Amino acid sequence: MIWDIICIDLCPAVGSDWFEQMAWISTGPQQQHGTFYEFRTYYIQPHLNAAFLKLTNEKIHLRTAHSELIGYWSVEYGGLNQVFHIWKYDSYAQRASVRAALAQDPNWIEQYISKAMPMLSSQDNEVTYLVPWSKIQKPPKDGGVFELATFQMKPGGPAVWGRAFQAVVGTHTGSGYAHAVGVFHSEFGQLNQVFVLWWFESADQRAAIRHTSHEDARVVAAVRESAAYLVSHKNKLMLPCAFSPIK
């Protein structure tokens, strides 16, 4: 009713372009399928970090038998004694069935989970979707380092900040500065977050690229526009584990 009154009052004063823009902001690009990605972060007791990674390397096949692992990394900078991994699910029902199957899998319980859990100090997870204009793209070659950049955006989701943020990612990838493995936004966990998973050949290459890109007028302009929607941001530099599908 209020919207109808506003439309009646404004219709003589605004054109169709304004309404098209408002419709785009209110709806934005929509998620077209149920596929989501679970981000999991495990905090390992410092003296057990090496033992945890060794056990996981030996037994991860017991877990990947149940659902698809996208990548598994050890955090090098931006957090100590952490591992970060991404799991893909077609639906919440699929994830529930996977969790139920794992709870009944004696090999998983006896050979891995009963040994791994005492090594951890805490766990965290988030549910994310790829933004509508992104897809998972493996790096051009194995090796290198990965940066998980997390941006806390103002409320509204991709419908509000999507175009500006897409321009930032596009100027970096289009200019050859970095390879974007995927761009995600949060569904469960801290809301209004967007995550970019970048790949670089090395930490030194990343440092050199950042210096060069900060002098690129296209990058500077895109970043400035996107910053209007930004609250805060943080990042982690990660190394892929030997068993990670993306590495």
Side-chain angles (χ1 to χ4, degrees):
M1 179 64 72
I2 294 176
W3 177 249
D4 292 340
I5 294 172
I6 293 174
C7 286
I8 292 171
D9 289 343
L10 291 179
C11 276
V14 299
S16 60
D17 290 345
W18 184 88
F19 288 104
E20 290 176 1
Q21 183 181 19
M22 290 303 295
W24 191 91
I25 290 175
S26 64
T27 58
Q30 298 297 302
Q31 190 73 27
Q32 299 298 320
H33 49 76
T35 301
F36 66 86
Y37 299 83
E38 182 179 6
F39 288 6
R40 297 182 73 91
T41 303
Y42 293 171
Y43 301 83
I44 309 165
Q45 296 187 51
H47 65 292
L48 296 173
N49 190 65
F52 176 86
L53 290 173
K54 181 176 183 296
L55 175 66
T56 303
N57 182 55
E58 294 171 350
K59 302 298 181 180
I60 192 66
H61 66 280
L62 299 174
R63 178 61 184 83
T64 55
H66 291 272
S67 65
E68 182 179 355
L69 173 65
I70 298 297
Y72 205 113
W73 297 268
S74 176
V75 177
E76 184 72 9
Y77 300 113
L80 297 176
N81 303 302
Q82 296 178 21
V83 290
F84 173 77
H85 32 126
I86 303 176
W87 298 86
K88 179 182 178 181
Y89 295 99
D90 296 329
S91 66
Y92 292 101
Q94 187 216 356
R95 182 184 183 280
S97 66
V98 167
R99 304 303 297 179
L102 286 168
Q104 300 299 319
D105 185 336
N107 291 326
W108 167 250
I109 294 171
E110 295 168 12
Q111 296 182 38
Y112 182 76
I113 206 69
S114 63
K115 298 176 181 179
M117 286 300 99
M119 298 181 183
L120 303 181
S121 57
S122 64
Q123 300 170 278
D124 194 15
N125 74 338
E126 297 168 291
V127 170
T128 71
Y129 289 101
L130 283 169
V131 297
W133 39 268
S134 177
K135 61 181 180 180
I136 299 292
Q137 299 187 88
K138 290 187 175 182
K141 59 183 179 181
D142 288 348
V145 298
F146 294 76
E147 178 185 3
L148 179 67
T150 303
F151 301 86
Q152 182 65 52
M153 310 300 289
K154 293 180 180 179
V160 172
W161 49 256
R163 286 178 174 174
F165 203 90
Q166 183 177 6
V168 174
V169 175
T171 55
H172 281 82
T173 58
S175 302
Y177 291 128
H179 175 90
V181 177
V183 184
F184 310 80
H185 66 96
S186 59
E187 179 71 10
F188 289 105
Q190 180 67 45
L191 297 179
N192 301 305
Q193 285 191 334
V194 58
F195 310 88
V196 184
L197 183 59
W198 299 104
W199 174 85
F200 299 93
E201 292 186 6
S202 68
D204 287 323
Q205 186 219 24
R206 175 191 176 276
I209 284 175
R210 281 182 60 81
H211 179 76
T212 302
S213 65
H214 287 177
E215 297 178 350
D216 188 323
R218 296 166 299 174
V219 172
V220 172
V223 168
R224 283 178 177 172
E225 181 180 357
S226 178
Y229 305 101
L230 181 66
V231 177
S232 63
H233 60 102
K234 60 182 179 179
N235 65 350
K236 298 177 181 180
L237 197 72
M238 310 183 299
L239 303 177
C241 294
F243 53 85
S244 177
I246 290 181
K247 55 177 172 287

